[in-house]
PDB file of all heavy atoms in Angstrom:
ATOM      1  N   ASP Z1465      22.343  22.265  14.466  1.00 86.00           N
ATOM      2  CA  ASP Z1465      21.140  23.147  14.325  1.00 86.00           C
ATOM      3  C   ASP Z1465      20.479  23.364  15.620  1.00 86.00           C
ATOM      4  O   ASP Z1465      19.517  22.750  15.950  1.00 86.00           O
ATOM      5  CB  ASP Z1465      20.202  22.443  13.284  1.00 86.00           C
ATOM      6  CG  ASP Z1465      19.162  23.407  12.749  1.00 86.00           C
ATOM      7  OD1 ASP Z1465      19.006  24.499  13.416  1.00 86.00           O
ATOM      8  OD2 ASP Z1465      18.600  23.100  11.777  1.00 86.00           O
ATOM      9  N   PRO Z1479       8.608  10.510  25.298  1.00 92.00           N
ATOM     10  CA  PRO Z1479       9.306   9.241  25.054  1.00 92.00           C
ATOM     11  C   PRO Z1479       9.560   9.093  23.573  1.00 92.00           C
ATOM     12  O   PRO Z1479       8.688   9.337  22.706  1.00 92.00           O
ATOM     13  CB  PRO Z1479       8.263   8.192  25.559  1.00 92.00           C
ATOM     14  CG  PRO Z1479       7.483   8.947  26.621  1.00 92.00           C
ATOM     15  CD  PRO Z1479       7.353  10.340  26.067  1.00 92.00           C
ATOM     16  N   LEU Z1481      12.207   6.907  20.498  1.00 95.00           N
ATOM     17  CA  LEU Z1481      13.376   6.089  19.944  1.00 95.00           C
ATOM     18  C   LEU Z1481      14.170   7.086  19.195  1.00 95.00           C
ATOM     19  O   LEU Z1481      13.724   7.887  18.391  1.00 95.00           O
ATOM     20  CB  LEU Z1481      12.867   5.012  18.957  1.00 95.00           C
ATOM     21  CG  LEU Z1481      13.924   4.426  18.082  1.00 95.00           C
ATOM     22  CD1 LEU Z1481      14.885   3.501  18.843  1.00 95.00           C
ATOM     23  CD2 LEU Z1481      13.320   3.652  16.942  1.00 95.00           C
ATOM     24  N   VAL Z1494      22.115   3.607  19.013  1.00 96.00           N
ATOM     25  CA  VAL Z1494      20.667   3.473  19.244  1.00 96.00           C
ATOM     26  C   VAL Z1494      20.303   3.671  20.646  1.00 96.00           C
ATOM     27  O   VAL Z1494      20.926   3.116  21.518  1.00 96.00           O
ATOM     28  CB  VAL Z1494      20.202   2.098  18.798  1.00 96.00           C
ATOM     29  CG1 VAL Z1494      18.654   1.887  18.914  1.00 96.00           C
ATOM     30  CG2 VAL Z1494      20.668   1.761  17.369  1.00 96.00           C
ATOM     31  N   THR Z1497      14.537   7.352  25.090  1.00 93.00           N
ATOM     32  CA  THR Z1497      14.534   8.481  26.161  1.00 93.00           C
ATOM     33  C   THR Z1497      13.070   8.830  26.525  1.00 93.00           C
ATOM     34  O   THR Z1497      12.224   8.633  25.694  1.00 93.00           O
ATOM     35  CB  THR Z1497      15.331   9.705  25.692  1.00 93.00           C
ATOM     36  OG1 THR Z1497      15.315  10.717  26.610  1.00 93.00           O
ATOM     37  CG2 THR Z1497      14.717  10.205  24.366  1.00 93.00           C
ATOM     38  N   LEU Z1526       2.988   6.483  22.969  1.00 88.00           N
ATOM     39  CA  LEU Z1526       4.073   5.528  23.243  1.00 88.00           C
ATOM     40  C   LEU Z1526       4.648   5.688  24.555  1.00 88.00           C
ATOM     41  O   LEU Z1526       5.066   6.840  25.045  1.00 88.00           O
ATOM     42  CB  LEU Z1526       5.234   5.752  22.179  1.00 88.00           C
ATOM     43  CG  LEU Z1526       5.055   5.214  20.758  1.00 88.00           C
ATOM     44  CD1 LEU Z1526       6.141   5.532  19.835  1.00 88.00           C
ATOM     45  CD2 LEU Z1526       4.946   3.640  20.945  1.00 88.00           C
ATOM     46  N   GLU Z1535      13.749   0.344  20.937  1.00 96.00           N
ATOM     47  CA  GLU Z1535      15.250   0.468  20.890  1.00 96.00           C
ATOM     48  C   GLU Z1535      15.902  -0.888  20.787  1.00 96.00           C
ATOM     49  O   GLU Z1535      16.778  -1.047  19.922  1.00 96.00           O
ATOM     50  CB  GLU Z1535      15.640   1.084  22.281  1.00 96.00           C
ATOM     51  CG  GLU Z1535      17.135   1.161  22.537  1.00 96.00           C
ATOM     52  CD  GLU Z1535      17.569   1.323  23.927  1.00 96.00           C
ATOM     53  OE1 GLU Z1535      16.832   0.840  24.875  1.00 96.00           O
ATOM     54  OE2 GLU Z1535      18.684   1.972  24.152  1.00 96.00           O
ATOM     55  N   LEU Z1550      27.950  -0.459  15.308  1.00 92.00           N
ATOM     56  CA  LEU Z1550      27.138  -0.116  16.484  1.00 92.00           C
ATOM     57  C   LEU Z1550      27.956  -0.104  17.819  1.00 92.00           C
ATOM     58  O   LEU Z1550      27.468  -0.148  18.909  1.00 92.00           O
ATOM     59  CB  LEU Z1550      26.024  -1.155  16.646  1.00 92.00           C
ATOM     60  CG  LEU Z1550      24.979  -1.126  15.553  1.00 92.00           C
ATOM     61  CD1 LEU Z1550      23.991  -2.358  15.748  1.00 92.00           C
ATOM     62  CD2 LEU Z1550      24.150   0.157  15.599  1.00 92.00           C
ATOM     63  N   PHE Z1589      18.594   0.724   7.063  1.00 87.00           N
ATOM     64  CA  PHE Z1589      17.843  -0.509   6.968  1.00 87.00           C
ATOM     65  C   PHE Z1589      17.880  -1.133   5.546  1.00 87.00           C
ATOM     66  O   PHE Z1589      17.186  -2.061   5.253  1.00 87.00           O
ATOM     67  CB  PHE Z1589      16.397  -0.312   7.374  1.00 87.00           C
ATOM     68  CG  PHE Z1589      16.238  -0.075   8.876  1.00 87.00           C
ATOM     69  CD1 PHE Z1589      15.929   1.220   9.364  1.00 87.00           C
ATOM     70  CD2 PHE Z1589      16.536  -1.027   9.808  1.00 87.00           C
ATOM     71  CE1 PHE Z1589      15.763   1.462  10.675  1.00 87.00           C
ATOM     72  CE2 PHE Z1589      16.394  -0.830  11.192  1.00 87.00           C
ATOM     73  CZ  PHE Z1589      16.036   0.399  11.583  1.00 87.00           C
ATOM     74  N   GLU Z1601      31.541 -10.063  -2.465  1.00 62.00           N
ATOM     75  CA  GLU Z1601      32.636 -10.535  -3.399  1.00 62.00           C
ATOM     76  C   GLU Z1601      33.998  -9.882  -2.974  1.00 62.00           C
ATOM     77  O   GLU Z1601      35.080 -10.304  -3.301  1.00 62.00           O
ATOM     78  CB  GLU Z1601      32.293 -10.236  -4.874  1.00 62.00           C
ATOM     79  CG  GLU Z1601      31.158 -11.135  -5.350  1.00 62.00           C
ATOM     80  CD  GLU Z1601      30.731 -10.664  -6.810  1.00 62.00           C
ATOM     81  OE1 GLU Z1601      31.148  -9.615  -7.232  1.00 62.00           O
ATOM     82  OE2 GLU Z1601      29.958 -11.475  -7.328  1.00 62.00           O
ATOM     83  N   ILE Z1604      37.628 -10.475   2.109  1.00 90.00           N
ATOM     84  CA  ILE Z1604      38.647 -11.503   1.997  1.00 90.00           C
ATOM     85  C   ILE Z1604      38.664 -12.327   3.254  1.00 90.00           C
ATOM     86  O   ILE Z1604      38.703 -11.832   4.361  1.00 90.00           O
ATOM     87  CB  ILE Z1604      39.978 -10.720   1.914  1.00 90.00           C
ATOM     88  CG1 ILE Z1604      40.041  -9.988   0.589  1.00 90.00           C
ATOM     89  CG2 ILE Z1604      41.187 -11.732   1.986  1.00 90.00           C
ATOM     90  CD1 ILE Z1604      41.224  -9.008   0.534  1.00 90.00           C
ATOM     91  N   ALA Z1614      40.737 -17.860  15.314  1.00 95.00           N
ATOM     92  CA  ALA Z1614      39.681 -16.945  14.842  1.00 95.00           C
ATOM     93  C   ALA Z1614      39.570 -16.879  13.389  1.00 95.00           C
ATOM     94  O   ALA Z1614      40.562 -16.947  12.601  1.00 95.00           O
ATOM     95  CB  ALA Z1614      39.847 -15.607  15.430  1.00 95.00           C
ATOM     96  N   ASN Z1634      41.181 -15.856  22.846  1.00 94.00           N
ATOM     97  CA  ASN Z1634      41.941 -15.895  24.146  1.00 94.00           C
ATOM     98  C   ASN Z1634      41.098 -15.660  25.301  1.00 94.00           C
ATOM     99  O   ASN Z1634      40.629 -14.546  25.433  1.00 94.00           O
ATOM    100  CB  ASN Z1634      43.168 -15.075  24.079  1.00 94.00           C
ATOM    101  CG  ASN Z1634      44.134 -15.314  25.264  1.00 94.00           C
ATOM    102  OD1 ASN Z1634      43.944 -16.260  26.080  1.00 94.00           O
ATOM    103  ND2 ASN Z1634      45.239 -14.558  25.402  1.00 94.00           N
ATOM    104  N   GLU Z1636      42.090 -15.253  28.259  1.00 91.00           N
ATOM    105  CA  GLU Z1636      42.849 -14.530  29.203  1.00 91.00           C
ATOM    106  C   GLU Z1636      43.264 -13.242  28.620  1.00 91.00           C
ATOM    107  O   GLU Z1636      43.258 -13.003  27.450  1.00 91.00           O
ATOM    108  CB  GLU Z1636      44.125 -15.367  29.688  1.00 91.00           C
ATOM    109  CG  GLU Z1636      43.834 -16.729  30.217  1.00 91.00           C
ATOM    110  CD  GLU Z1636      43.048 -16.724  31.506  1.00 91.00           C
ATOM    111  OE1 GLU Z1636      43.129 -15.775  32.210  1.00 91.00           O
ATOM    112  OE2 GLU Z1636      42.285 -17.740  31.744  1.00 91.00           O
ATOM    113  N   VAL Z1638      46.486 -10.663  28.120  1.00 87.00           N
ATOM    114  CA  VAL Z1638      47.965 -10.589  28.097  1.00 87.00           C
ATOM    115  C   VAL Z1638      48.364  -9.761  29.268  1.00 87.00           C
ATOM    116  O   VAL Z1638      47.767  -8.674  29.625  1.00 87.00           O
ATOM    117  CB  VAL Z1638      48.496 -10.057  26.788  1.00 87.00           C
ATOM    118  CG1 VAL Z1638      50.018  -9.896  26.921  1.00 87.00           C
ATOM    119  CG2 VAL Z1638      48.105 -10.981  25.686  1.00 87.00           C
ATOM    120  N   ALA Z1654      31.641  -9.448  27.166  1.00 91.00           N
ATOM    121  CA  ALA Z1654      30.389  -9.487  27.793  1.00 91.00           C
ATOM    122  C   ALA Z1654      29.240  -9.420  26.711  1.00 91.00           C
ATOM    123  O   ALA Z1654      28.162 -10.024  26.867  1.00 91.00           O
ATOM    124  CB  ALA Z1654      30.122  -8.333  28.806  1.00 91.00           C
ATOM    125  N   LYS Z1655      29.521  -8.677  25.585  1.00 89.00           N
ATOM    126  CA  LYS Z1655      28.504  -8.449  24.582  1.00 89.00           C
ATOM    127  C   LYS Z1655      28.603  -9.525  23.538  1.00 89.00           C
ATOM    128  O   LYS Z1655      27.490 -10.016  22.988  1.00 89.00           O
ATOM    129  CB  LYS Z1655      28.654  -7.117  23.895  1.00 89.00           C
ATOM    130  CG  LYS Z1655      28.352  -5.988  24.792  1.00 89.00           C
ATOM    131  CD  LYS Z1655      28.838  -4.599  24.154  1.00 89.00           C
ATOM    132  CE  LYS Z1655      28.168  -4.327  22.870  1.00 89.00           C
ATOM    133  NZ  LYS Z1655      28.561  -3.007  22.331  1.00 89.00           N
ATOM    134  N   TYR Z1656      29.777 -10.069  23.175  1.00 92.00           N
ATOM    135  CA  TYR Z1656      29.916 -10.841  22.008  1.00 92.00           C
ATOM    136  C   TYR Z1656      30.489 -12.268  22.179  1.00 92.00           C
ATOM    137  O   TYR Z1656      30.693 -12.962  21.164  1.00 92.00           O
ATOM    138  CB  TYR Z1656      30.850 -10.176  20.998  1.00 92.00           C
ATOM    139  CG  TYR Z1656      30.391  -8.707  20.697  1.00 92.00           C
ATOM    140  CD1 TYR Z1656      31.327  -7.649  20.889  1.00 92.00           C
ATOM    141  CD2 TYR Z1656      29.241  -8.449  20.136  1.00 92.00           C
ATOM    142  CE1 TYR Z1656      30.987  -6.367  20.565  1.00 92.00           C
ATOM    143  CE2 TYR Z1656      28.843  -7.105  19.928  1.00 92.00           C
ATOM    144  CZ  TYR Z1656      29.678  -6.115  20.007  1.00 92.00           C
ATOM    145  OH  TYR Z1656      29.324  -4.826  19.774  1.00 92.00           O
ATOM    146  N   TRP Z1690      47.393  -6.120  11.121  1.00 96.00           N
ATOM    147  CA  TRP Z1690      47.790  -6.181   9.733  1.00 96.00           C
ATOM    148  C   TRP Z1690      48.901  -7.235   9.514  1.00 96.00           C
ATOM    149  O   TRP Z1690      49.026  -7.773   8.425  1.00 96.00           O
ATOM    150  CB  TRP Z1690      48.391  -4.845   9.215  1.00 96.00           C
ATOM    151  CG  TRP Z1690      47.381  -3.756   9.241  1.00 96.00           C
ATOM    152  CD1 TRP Z1690      47.206  -2.767  10.201  1.00 96.00           C
ATOM    153  CD2 TRP Z1690      46.404  -3.548   8.224  1.00 96.00           C
ATOM    154  NE1 TRP Z1690      46.162  -2.004   9.879  1.00 96.00           N
ATOM    155  CE2 TRP Z1690      45.662  -2.395   8.671  1.00 96.00           C
ATOM    156  CE3 TRP Z1690      46.088  -4.096   7.040  1.00 96.00           C
ATOM    157  CZ2 TRP Z1690      44.671  -1.842   7.917  1.00 96.00           C
ATOM    158  CZ3 TRP Z1690      45.011  -3.612   6.302  1.00 96.00           C
ATOM    159  CH2 TRP Z1690      44.351  -2.470   6.703  1.00 96.00           C
TER     160      TRP Z1690
END
Side-chain angles (χ1 to χ4, degrees):
D1465 198 343
L1481 163 73
V1494 181
T1497 181
L1526 279 177
E1535 174 199 31
L1550 295 171
F1589 290 110
E1601 289 175 351
I1604 297 169
N1634 187 3
E1636 306 294 335
V1638 175
K1655 291 168 63 175
Y1656 306 125
W1690 296 99

